[in-house]
Amino acid sequence: DTAVSQTPKYLVTQMGNDKSIKCEQNLGHDTMYWYKQDSKKFLKIMFSYNNKELIINETVPNRFSPKSPDKAHLNLHINSLELGDSAVYFCASSPSTSTDTQYFGPGTRLTVL
Amino acid sequence: GDSVTQMEGPVTLSEEAFLTINCTYTATGYPSLFWYVQYPGEGLQLLLKATKADDKGSNKGFEATYRKETTSFHLEKGSVQVSDSAVYFCALIEPYNNNDMRFGAGTRLTVKP
């Protein structure tokens, strides 16, 4: 069984479009995250949610909006996509904010043309 | 702020060679330290971790010791295999700090037969 899953795995789209990436975890964790990995493999946290509430929001354009319908899901919606948004986006989860190990999804490779 | 610095790659070794990937950190408190591995086309997997000074994390022949005095967490393996080819990330997290995990830039390891 997949612990942290993301859909789609690959996403190719035109500049200016709006797209969403979905993330689900079946680990019963309270906290979920979105990371962006650029072409040089550098990983940077974007958002963190605990029990559906936003707790970390790094300097990310407001075109990016996370949505957590329940604590097992954290979706990432991106408006008006730009070329610089091309990256691999990883979802992760951890048991709680006071517990450290994070478990990562397989990633979504977004290409903006 | 908290940060992680790891040796720049890429690193290319022959099979059965000894591996060291250096990692040093800066933190205000007493972080937990991690090594994650990313195999080609896959997401990040936790390789090992250590949560306090002098702890040694180990897994799949890899080891790293939490050295508070040198603020280091170097990754070592005595005899690498072709299947170890991947990108390795050093990371830290300060518990009770909203699980804000900081990653190093990643080191690409290629092992040749």
Side-chain angles (χ1 to χ4, degrees), chain A residues 36-110:
Chain A
K36 180 180 180 181
Q37 185 179 43
D38 63 23
S39 58
K40 295 182 179 179
K41 298 292 187 182
F42 186 71
L43 268 159
K44 187 172 173 57
I45 192 165
M46 300 173 70
F47 300 102
S48 170
Y49 267 71
N50 183 56
N51 272 323
K52 305 194 299 174
E53 290 188 15
L54 181 67
I55 55 172
I56 294 177
N57 182 1
E58 293 291 307
T59 305
V60 174
N62 57 14
R63 298 181 295 102
F64 290 79
S65 54
K67 288 188 171 52
S68 182
D70 55 60
K71 73 173 193 178
H73 296 84
L74 181 63
N75 303 324
L76 184 64
H77 188 75
I78 316 170
N79 289 328
S80 303
L81 278 157
E82 300 177 357
L83 293 177
D85 298 333
S86 296
V88 181
Y89 292 84
F90 287 100
C91 179
S93 73
S94 66
S96 72
T97 56
S98 61
T99 307
D100 44 16
T101 303
Q102 296 181 14
Y103 299 84
F104 284 78
T108 296
R109 181 175 294 279
L110 170 65

Side-chain angles (χ1 to χ4, degrees), chain A residues 9 33 35 37 40-43 45 48 55-56 58 90 94 96-106, chain B residues 32 34 36 38 41-44 46 49 51 87 89 93 95-105 108:
Chain A
K9 189 170 183 181
Y33 313 81
Y35 288 85
Q37 185 179 43
K40 295 182 179 179
K41 298 292 187 182
F42 186 71
L43 268 159
I45 192 165
S48 170
I55 55 172
I56 294 177
E58 293 291 307
F90 287 100
S94 66
S96 72
T97 56
S98 61
T99 307
D100 44 16
T101 303
Q102 296 181 14
Y103 299 84
F104 284 78
Chain B
S32 295
F34 304 81
Y36 280 85
Q38 185 178 25
E42 297 185 14
L44 280 79
L46 178 66
K49 71 175 186 180
T51 57
V87 181
F89 293 91
I93 194 165
Y96 310 106
N97 189 22
N98 294 326
N99 269 19
D100 186 2
M101 183 171 270
R102 302 285 172 167
F103 285 86
R108 182 180 298 279

Side-chain angles (χ1 to χ4, degrees), chain B residues 79-98:
Chain B
S79 176
V80 293
Q81 305 300 313
V82 172
S83 57
D84 294 326
S85 298
V87 181
Y88 292 82
F89 293 91
C90 187
L92 72 77
I93 194 165
E94 298 220 49
Y96 310 106
N97 189 22
N98 294 326

